[in-house]
Structures are given as structure tokens and as C-alpha cells.
Amino acid sequence: MALTDNDRIQELFLVVGDKLAPVNKKWWYALVIFLIVLIPFYYLAKYSFVQLIMSGYHAPEIVYTAGIQESLQIIDKKIFILAPNTYSGYVKIKNINLEWGVPSQDYTAEFKTLGGTSIAKISDSTFILPASEKLIVFPRFTSQTKPDEIDVTLGETQFIQKPDVTVNYELQRVNLQNNPAGFSMTAGIKNTMAFTVGQIDLPVAVYDSNNNIVAVNFTTINDVLSGETRTFTYSWPGAVAGAVRAEINPEINIFDRNIFSQPAGVSPFDSSTQPAPASP
């Protein structure tokens, strides 16, 4: 039903028309002008109100920080008497960071007497893999004075995020020979990766029945082809008392982009490494 068909609505329109008929046209013009002026004033007032509200609002600050790396820890060190007036030793450094390693860690090891007299001093650098215990074997040296302790000092540590590369190998044929004339050990390692490995570091720790380290040694092998099995040997100048087992921990410097190669020249590194702030 149309509005015009409703008697009450028609009556209402007539009453309203009668009430508005006496109004002067000037007031109608004034009303139209007022509405026109009111529109921009409304938007201006709205804008001012929003600005006033926003002036007191502070957005939360988003701070992007690199993950905090835990410092390297020296967890063990020891001196060995290899022969009369001949000594060696080791230090073990622990890196508990799962995704961060050190491509080049400077260190200094000083062999001293209990009185503080320096007998030998060794300075070098090494890489430290993520989530690892680095066994640094010091080369043998001779001295008429027996060293009693090792002071090890680490240089500045610069962590780097590990590259997206997987290292695979197989240790084979580990054999120990502990004779009075000397202690020797042979083993083999197979490169099961698709790349030639430029260098594999092979530190070894020899343990007694109480799980104490009674000897250490170190060797390297170079340019191990894909699928190749390479044998290597350790030797000591005398028998090692109590030796029952050996633990070889092959290490490949994954931070060296030239460590892997193949004829096609394809790199196994899929993403770039990211440096991290130096450890305190």
C-alpha cells in the first residue's frame, strides 16, 4: 500500500504543510546555506578530534635483535709426559650454541711451573663448530723443567650462523695397539658426501676404564674424494697406561666455503652465513 493511500499520513503532510507555509523563503535559504557550511565544518572537527586522540598514543616499539650467544667455555685441560723431558697437553672448549659457531678463534696456551715460570707458549687459531666440544691438542715440546699447569686465554670471539650444509662420513676399522715400544692407533674414514672434502681434522682422545683422558693426538687428511675411504694413523713414543678405548671426533670446517668442491663447481652452501655481535 502506497503512503499516499494512507489517510493519516496524508493528513500529517497537510498539517506540516500548513505549519511551514507561513515561513519566509529567506529562512529556507539560510537553512540550505547552513547545511552547506556545516559539512566541511563537520569533517574539520572530526579530523581535529582524531589528531587530538592520536597525539597521546604511542605505538609499541619493535626492537629487532640478533640472538644472544653464550660465551665459549674451557671445560678441561691437562698436561702429558710423553718421554723424559718431553711434554704435550690439550684443552677442551665447549660451544653450547646450537646455530652459531666460530670460524676463527684465537687462543694462547702457556705452560708454567707452580711458581709461575713460563716454560712454553703456544699461540694459534682454530674453528669451533656449533654445539660441539673442541679438543685442541698442543704439539709436543721438550723442556728440562717440568710444567705443572696450563693457562689458556681465548681471544675475541666472533660467532657466525652455521650454513645450511650437512656433513656425512663413516668411521671404520678403529684399531689400538698398546705395546711397550709405543702406542699406535689406525682407523679409516669414508666420505659419504657428494663433494670432495678439502681437509678433515681428526683429533683423538684415549680413555681409561674410568673414562679419564690418558692420551691425545691429532692428524689431518686432505682432498678426500666422494665415496673414498682414507686410512690414517696416530702414534705415541711409549705405551699409554690404562688405555682401553679411543674417541675420534672428525671435524670439517663448514665455515670455509672452499672446503667442499666437485668438478661441476656446485657449492653445497645454500644460504649465506650471518655474523653475530662479539661475545662479551
Side-chain angles (χ1 to χ4, degrees), residues 34-199:
F34 173 76
L35 293 176
I36 294 174
V37 173
L38 184 63
I39 292 174
F41 179 79
Y42 165 76
Y43 286 107
L44 179 62
K46 181 179 178 181
Y47 173 78
S48 300
F49 179 75
V50 171
Q51 290 297 109
L52 179 63
I53 296 299
M54 293 300 295
S55 64
Y57 172 76
H58 297 283
E61 183 179 4
I62 300 176
V63 180
Y64 297 95
T65 59
I68 298 176
Q69 290 76 44
E70 295 292 336
S71 301
L72 300 176
Q73 305 170 23
I74 297 175
I75 59 174
D76 192 18
K77 54 186 176 180
K78 190 174 182 179
I79 298 173
F80 296 109
I81 301 175
L82 302 179
N85 300 327
T86 303
Y87 306 93
S88 180
Y90 74 88
V91 63
K92 188 178 287 188
I93 301 172
K94 187 173 184 178
N95 177 19
I96 67 174
N97 300 285
L98 298 178
E99 298 293 330
W100 302 85
V102 186
S104 180
Q105 175 64 58
D106 294 331
Y107 65 87
T108 299
E110 190 171 9
F111 291 78
K112 297 181 178 180
T113 64
L114 290 177
T117 301
S118 179
I119 296 174
K121 191 173 183 179
I122 301 168
S123 295
D124 206 343
S125 63
T126 186
F127 64 92
I128 300 178
L129 299 174
S132 67
E133 292 184 359
K134 181 74 177 189
L135 179 67
I136 300 177
V137 178
F138 302 123
R140 66 186 63 182
F141 63 93
T142 59
S143 173
Q144 297 299 318
T145 304
K146 177 180 176 295
D148 298 301
E149 59 184 7
I150 311 174
D151 283 344
V152 180
T153 304
L154 300 180
E156 180 181 359
T157 300
Q158 180 67 47
F159 286 101
I160 292 220
Q161 191 171 21
K162 68 177 182 180
D164 185 13
V165 61
T166 301
V167 174
N168 294 308
Y169 55 81
E170 292 178 5
L171 279 174
Q172 302 174 350
R173 304 189 300 273
V174 179
N175 183 31
L176 284 71
Q177 296 290 331
N178 198 3
N179 301 315
F183 180 73
S184 64
M185 176 179 169
T186 60
I189 187 170
K190 182 177 181 179
N191 175 14
T192 59
M193 294 176 287
F195 304 93
T196 296
V197 183
Q199 178 174 309

Side-chain angles (χ1 to χ4, degrees), residues 210-253:
N210 295 319
N211 210 35
N212 297 314
I213 296 179
V214 292
V216 293
N217 213 322
F218 179 85
T219 190
T220 62
I221 53 177
N222 299 320
D223 299 325
V224 184
L225 302 177
S226 173
E228 179 186 5
T229 299
R230 187 81 62 86
T231 57
F232 52 94
T233 303
Y234 306 99
S235 62
W236 287 260
V240 176
V244 296
R245 69 179 181 88
E247 186 176 290
I248 304 172
N249 185 26
E251 292 184 325
I252 299 173
N253 187 1

